Amino acid sequence: MRSFYGTTLANPLMLGTAQYPSPAILAEAFRRSGAGVATVSLRRESGADRAGQDFWAMIADLGVPVLPNTAGCHSVKEAVTTAHMAREVFDTPWIKLEVIGHTDTLQPDVFALVEAARVLSEDGFQVFPYTTEDLVVAEKLLHAGCEVLMPWGAPIGSGLGLANEYALRSMRAHFPDVPLVVDAGIGLPSHAARAMELGFDAVLLNTAVAKAGDPAMMAEAFSRAVLAGQAAYAADPIEPRDMAAPSTPVIGKAFLE
């Protein structure tokens, strides 16, 4: 099992903490998921009256590594500032770096993303960049100091799954030694299992669990899916073929007249 900046996850599911119907349902979803990482966004507007302190305490009680993110940031300055605030609040060098460039698709601004990744890496952050599946951008992020890549499966919250499986397979083949996480767009456990079958090291999702009719049950389903996909990849599955191949050998079979 691959490590992320020296940390090996107990479970390759990274689960977000937003949009749940209640804190109790959030806690139950995490318990049943066995998720290896909790992702959280920093709500900057709640600092004066410490309105978010109960939430931060609940996240700490989950007992898993916390991955703060810069969700909602649209510029290098905004993302870097948010990352510094998150490091102070959560006491971790980890940061999921988002710099959004397109309003409708929430596609990353890859130019700003690379620059922000460089600034944060130089300042001691361990950056998890939310990016596209573009190989050139991936190379630039690695050169900027990132040791993990997080390509999107599809637009955030869309539930479309793996929109460009060819590109994701190419990224896995091109960066065999880099920890890769499919982030965003996952809607079903089968999508998560497929990502792991392609050789990805983890899957990050939020909406598919938080907005499900039964978030805790869905969280458990996703946990089983990522573990099944991981095991399938490790087992070296057969290659698909166009022609049938009999599972029962015909050599030596008796011929009846």
Side-chain angles (χ1 to χ4, degrees), residues 3-15:
S3 66
F4 297 84
Y5 292 103
T7 298
T8 301
L9 305 184
N11 185 311
L13 177 62
M14 299 180 174
L15 190 56

Side-chain angles (χ1 to χ4, degrees), residues 151-230:
W152 64 348
I156 294 171
S158 67
L160 292 172
L162 308 184
N164 193 343
E165 188 172 306
Y166 164 77
L168 293 174
R169 287 200 310 270
S170 298
M171 179 173 278
R172 177 71 284 173
H174 195 75
F175 301 106
D177 300 321
V178 176
L180 299 180
V181 181
V182 170
D183 176 16
I186 299 296
L188 293 170
S190 57
H191 299 156
R194 184 56 183 153
M196 299 301 292
E197 288 170 354
L198 294 177
F200 279 74
D201 301 293
V203 171
L204 192 155
L205 56 97
N206 188 166
T207 306
V209 169
K211 291 296 187 180
D214 187 333
M217 182 180 292
M218 186 62 78
E220 183 176 345
F222 269 108
S223 180
R224 293 181 178 183
V226 296
L227 293 174
Q230 183 182 59

